[in-house]
């Protein structure tokens, strides 16, 4: 071998005799994102029923305002989750952002729904919190056999468009030791109805 170019900045370029030595040029690139190996866990941290304004037994519906808080543990250390932080129209990728995931939540039994608040926040040094505050009218099949002394269960269904069979599945989780379930402190319909049971959370 013969040295065809003198070392520059501590780098020697070598090649065969008679060859021309040129510094190699390359453009840095990032590897394309790949799907996550397991479903992303969304921990249910808080559900507050802020207000129940209407219970309509004829229409089989009720109106309520809710506050829902979910946690992505360690989300601040995941660059993909931080992409497009709180953009109004987040884009999908194989490793979607927390903001995109937040926009995939929906309420299957909602007849009408308005998002009063929908955002992602950083909490502490590690976690991301997804916040939903909604006003909606929800369909509910009422059992009226004992009318007018009937007792009803009011249900709100929260789901995600991220299917288990898809490339970006989401799994809900919760702990009875950490989740906070709050019933209304001021019930506008207390002259007609009594709230005699606590809020209950069921995961399917």
């Amino acid at each position: 071998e013969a040295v065809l170019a003198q070392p520059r900045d501590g780098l020697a370029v070598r090649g065969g005799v008679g060859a021309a030595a040129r510094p190699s040029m390359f453009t840095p690139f990032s590897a394309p994102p790949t799907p996550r190996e397991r479903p992303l866990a969304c921990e249910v941290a808080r559900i507050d029923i802020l207000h129940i304004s209407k219970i309509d037994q004829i229409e089989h519906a009720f109106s309520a305002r809710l506050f829902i808080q979910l946690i992505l543990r360690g989300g601040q250390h995941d660059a993909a989750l931080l992409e497009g932080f709180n953009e109004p129209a987040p884009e999908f990728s194989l490793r979607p952002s927390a903001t995109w995931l937040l926009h995939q939540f929906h309420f299957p039994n909602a007849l009408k729904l308005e998002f009063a608040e929908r955002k992602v926040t950083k909490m502490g040094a590690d976690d991301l919190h997804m916040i939903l505050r909604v006003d909606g009218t929800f369909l509910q099949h009422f059992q009226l056999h004992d009318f007018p002394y009937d007792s009803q269960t009011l249900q709100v269904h929260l789901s995600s468009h991220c299917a288990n069979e898809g490339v970006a599945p989401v799994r809900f989780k919760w702990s009875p030791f950490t989740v906070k379930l709050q019933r209304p402190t001021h019930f506008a319909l207390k002259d007609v109805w009594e709230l005699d049971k606590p809020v209950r959370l069921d995961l399917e």
Side-chain angles (χ1 to χ4, degrees), residues 29 65 100 113 124 131 160 167 180 196:
F29 68 95
R65 177 179 299 169
W100 185 89
L113 191 71
I131 305 296
S160 174
V167 296
K180 296 180 180 179
D196 60 352

Side-chain angles (χ1 to χ4, degrees), residues 81-90 97-100 102-103 118-122 129-131:
L81 290 176
L82 295 173
E83 284 287 334
F85 200 70
N86 281 326
E87 287 184 351
S97 66
T99 304
W100 185 89
L102 180 64
H103 281 70
R118 182 165 53 177
K119 67 180 181 180
V120 180
T121 62
K122 297 179 181 180
H129 286 217
M130 296 186 288
I131 305 296

Side-chain angles (χ1 to χ4, degrees), residues 87-127:
E87 287 184 351
E91 296 183 357
F92 170 75
S93 73
L94 292 178
R95 295 179 69 89
S97 66
T99 304
W100 185 89
L101 292 171
L102 180 64
H103 281 70
Q104 305 313 304
F105 292 128
H106 67 114
F107 297 81
N109 69 322
L111 184 62
K112 293 187 296 185
L113 191 71
E114 179 180 345
F115 288 94
E117 185 177 21
R118 182 165 53 177
K119 67 180 181 180
V120 180
T121 62
K122 297 179 181 180
M123 298 295 288
D126 301 302
D127 302 333

Side-chain angles (χ1 to χ4, degrees), residues 14-95:
R14 293 181 178 269
V17 176
R22 299 177 183 273
S24 60
M25 303 297 293
F26 65 93
T27 302
F29 68 95
S30 299
T34 56
R36 298 182 185 276
E37 296 180 355
R38 63 189 66 183
L40 193 64
C42 294
E43 181 178 330
V44 182
R46 188 180 187 99
I47 298 177
D48 290 354
I49 301 177
L50 303 175
H51 187 57
I52 298 176
S53 58
K54 183 180 180 181
I55 300 176
D56 192 328
Q57 294 153 293
I58 297 177
E59 297 293 334
H60 287 269
F62 68 96
S63 298
R65 177 179 299 169
L66 299 101
F67 173 86
I68 300 172
Q69 183 177 10
L70 303 106
I71 302 176
L72 296 171
R73 295 291 183 188
Q76 292 189 45
H77 305 293
D78 189 320
L81 290 176
L82 295 173
E83 284 287 334
F85 200 70
N86 281 326
E87 287 184 351
E91 296 183 357
F92 170 75
S93 73
L94 292 178
R95 295 179 69 89

Side-chain angles (χ1 to χ4, degrees), residues 97-166:
S97 66
T99 304
W100 185 89
L101 292 171
L102 180 64
H103 281 70
Q104 305 313 304
F105 292 128
H106 67 114
F107 297 81
N109 69 322
L111 184 62
K112 293 187 296 185
L113 191 71
E114 179 180 345
F115 288 94
E117 185 177 21
R118 182 165 53 177
K119 67 180 181 180
V120 180
T121 62
K122 297 179 181 180
M123 298 295 288
D126 301 302
D127 302 333
L128 293 176
H129 286 217
M130 296 186 288
I131 305 296
L132 289 169
R133 191 187 305 270
V134 299
D135 290 285
T137 299
F138 303 92
L139 295 173
Q140 177 68 54
H141 179 67
F142 291 133
Q143 303 289 339
L144 302 177
H145 301 291
D146 298 326
F147 181 84
Y149 303 106
D150 51 308
S151 176
Q152 307 293 344
T153 299
L154 304 181
Q155 297 180 329
V156 175
H157 298 169
L158 173 64
S159 183
S160 174
H161 289 299
C162 301
N164 292 331
E165 299 80 10

